[in-house]
Amino acid sequence: MKLQMIGIDHSTASVEVRERYAFTSAAVRAAMQKIKQESEAVHGIRGCLILSTCNRMELYVSLTQEANPDLYALICDWKGLDPGAERALFYEKKDLEAARHVFELACGLCSQILGEDQILTQVKDALMLAREEAATDHCIEVLFRQAITAAKEMKSSMTFEKGNRSAATVAIRQLRKEGAEFSRKQALVIGNGMMGKLTAQALMEAGAQVTVTVRQYHSGIVDIPEGASRVNYGERYEKLAGSDYIFSATASPNLTIRPERMTGMQLDGKIFVDLAVPRDIDPEVGNLPGVRLFGMDDLDMEQLSEEQKEQQAQAQAKISAALAEFERFFCARDLIPRITKYAGEMADDLWGRMRKDCIGLEEEQRENVEQAVKRSGSKVAAHILFALRDGLDADTFARCMQALEKKQ
């Protein structure tokens, strides 16, 4: 079994490129269903998981030993894109390098905002979605479960400088540096998901009077941050007319703001902030007179401070310790059948040495003793071998197994 991943993120591609490879939840389900249909017979894929956020899209797969699929071509096939055109913008990692990336990702070390909390929720949601589609296998399950546990433990033991920030707080900070005021200003937040709620909360903390859009088909009990007002999504343009700031942060594949819907509207001084990928706001909005439009790529992420660099180093040390457990599992996974087989052979050898001492027993008694000796001997031998596996590095244990099997 092998582990492989491919991805594209804010560090390798612009938002215009990233949105072409973004997946909605429905698209993730469709891709996983297709993988299950083709399964190992076509690509050698035993398990998979897709993570798609505003800053990244990543595909993780566990493979049969002989498999070598072109994951980029697979993604392009799902998205209906020309394979090869943007291959250079993707990064690929294999086996333990891919596993470390998952741990770093879940802990917030790969995010634009060091140590941010939102990515952990997104990783958990991606795992849950893959489980719902029965797309994971034991390797993917163990990897992501251990990475999530490590991230939780890290967040409980250390706090990153300027932690708990979101893209919305970065946008607000940047606008303030440019002279924007939020106190008593009217702000419209389009989107009531996790990102929308974080955005609404950040704007209220900045002093703005916030209205959040909700869909009309909801029952009326929709969770929005305390202190915010609500408006039906279909009435967003009417509310937009009286708003100073318009933040859009949905997971919808469709545009939430279009320029043609604002004809005749007084727009001078309005600031639009698009925190979604694919983008929520038509880029042409930025060309309207008096309007300023900010997207994810326009946010000015600060360089790491010396304190943050030290925190990053501490986090990497914690990840290395946590990763060791997965490494033991991953490196020894193909040895498990060999351990089980050799333990059985050791039990057979033990019974062969004891058989002459049981000659005086009746046949039924001798059969019962044989079964008990083989069962207990196999368990004891396997316990010893698994203890050696957990206590030795992978190369040393592999040599031990080779020596034992050769002697046998």
Side-chain angles (χ1 to χ4, degrees):
M1 179 170 42
K2 300 187 295 186
L3 181 66
Q4 190 172 334
M5 69 80 62
I6 186 171
I8 188 170
D9 69 9
H10 58 87
S11 67
T12 64
S14 67
V15 65
E16 289 86 357
V17 174
R18 297 200 307 275
E19 65 184 358
R20 287 200 282 275
Y21 296 94
F23 282 79
T24 62
S25 295
V28 169
R29 292 183 188 277
M32 289 180 175
Q33 288 169 5
K34 187 170 184 180
I35 282 181
K36 285 194 299 181
Q37 290 170 0
E38 297 176 344
S39 191
E40 296 182 27
V42 177
H43 302 296
I45 295 175
R46 304 177 63 173
C48 73
L49 181 146
I50 297 173
L51 174 68
S52 186
T53 73
C54 60
N55 276 331
R56 70 185 67 251
M57 189 290 298
E58 295 180 343
L59 168 65
Y60 295 85
V61 296
S62 61
L63 304 165
T64 56
Q65 196 62 36
E66 65 279 2
N68 188 30
D70 186 341
L71 296 184
Y72 173 70
L74 197 60
I75 292 170
C76 289
D77 179 55
W78 294 338
K79 303 296 293 185
L81 298 171
D82 176 28
E86 294 165 330
R87 184 186 292 271
L89 300 177
F90 282 74
Y91 46 86
E92 295 190 63
K93 301 177 188 294
K94 295 182 178 180
D95 296 331
L96 292 178
E97 184 185 10
R100 172 172 281 276
H101 181 74
V102 176
F103 277 72
E104 292 174 344
L105 182 71
C107 292
L109 301 191
C110 301
S111 301
Q112 282 183 297
I113 303 169
L114 181 66
E116 56 114 348
D117 294 330
Q118 188 179 353
I119 186 62
L120 177 55
T121 300
Q122 292 167 333
V123 170
K124 290 192 290 187
D125 289 346
L127 177 59
M128 183 62 67
L129 184 55
R131 285 172 174 169
E132 290 174 359
E133 294 300 318
T136 62
D137 69 338
H138 188 52
C139 181
I140 295 290
E141 280 281 347
V142 171
L143 171 58
F144 278 82
R145 189 170 63 244
Q146 290 185 0
I148 289 169
T149 298
K152 289 179 179 178
E153 292 176 351
M154 181 179 297
K155 290 182 182 299
S156 67
S157 63
M158 65 182 296
T159 302
F160 288 93
E161 181 194 4
K162 298 181 180 178
N164 299 321
R165 295 181 299 166
S166 65
T169 61
V170 173
I172 291 169
R173 183 193 66 214
Q174 183 171 331
L175 289 171
R176 276 179 162 166
K177 284 183 177 180
E178 297 179 11
E181 296 287 343
F182 289 89
S183 181
R184 299 185 180 278
K185 296 291 186 178
Q186 296 293 324
L188 174 65
V189 176
I190 301 174
N192 190 46
M194 177 178 60
M195 190 61 184
K197 291 172 184 175
L198 287 172
T199 301
Q201 191 64 49
L203 284 164
M204 286 191 293
E205 290 173 359
Q209 296 176 347
V210 177
T211 299
V212 180
T213 64
V214 297
R215 295 283 186 173
Q216 290 180 332
Y217 55 74
H218 285 301
S219 63
I221 304 175
V222 180
D223 182 27
I224 65 173
E226 184 177 355
S229 302
R230 67 180 66 203
V231 66
N232 287 330
Y233 175 79
E235 301 172 3
R236 63 194 182 282
Y237 286 101
E238 289 84 345
K239 189 64 181 179
L240 182 157
S243 299
D244 303 292
Y245 299 95
I246 300 91
F247 282 66
S248 194
T250 78
S252 171
N254 303 313
L255 294 173
T256 60
I257 298 294
R258 298 175 181 272
E260 60 268 21
R261 295 288 302 274
M262 295 183 286
T263 302
M265 191 181 297
Q266 177 54 252
L267 300 173
D268 191 43
K270 293 188 186 299
I271 295 177
F272 292 78
V273 181
D274 191 341
L275 301 177
V277 177
R279 287 170 290 184
D280 278 348
I281 302 175
D282 190 322
E284 289 300 316
V285 168
N287 296 326
L288 296 175
V291 165
R292 297 179 67 193
L293 172 62
F294 292 84
M296 290 295 294
D297 289 352
D298 298 315
L299 300 186
D300 182 18
M301 300 299 176
E302 295 179 340
Q303 295 294 316
L304 296 183
S305 66
E306 291 303 316
E307 181 179 354
Q308 286 176 314
K309 290 178 182 178
E310 176 61 28
Q311 290 170 335
Q312 190 177 50
Q314 293 174 9
Q316 287 288 2
K318 290 179 179 289
I319 285 174
S320 294
L323 187 60
E325 182 179 353
F326 178 78
E327 183 175 359
R328 284 194 294 271
F329 157 78
F330 187 74
C331 292
R333 68 203 182 284
D334 294 329
L335 291 171
I336 292 176
R338 291 168 59 191
I339 290 174
T340 303
K341 179 176 181 294
Y342 186 66
E345 292 173 351
M346 291 175 69
D348 290 340
D349 182 69
L350 176 61
W351 169 244
R353 297 171 188 273
M354 291 182 60
R355 182 180 299 169
K356 63 181 179 180
D357 297 323
C358 300
I359 293 177
L361 298 178
E362 294 183 2
E363 183 177 355
E364 182 177 355
Q365 292 176 318
R366 189 168 60 252
E367 289 177 354
N368 289 337
V369 171
E370 179 182 358
Q371 291 177 7
V373 167
K374 288 185 176 181
R375 183 172 59 251
S376 299
S378 178
K379 288 182 178 180
V380 170
H383 179 76
I384 293 172
L385 291 172
F386 278 117
L388 285 172
R389 181 202 67 174
D390 293 340
L392 299 174
D393 64 82
D395 289 340
T396 301
F397 181 69
R399 289 197 297 271
C400 287
M401 283 297 298
Q402 291 172 358
L404 288 170
E405 291 168 334
K406 184 177 181 179
K407 184 177 181 180
Q408 188 72 8

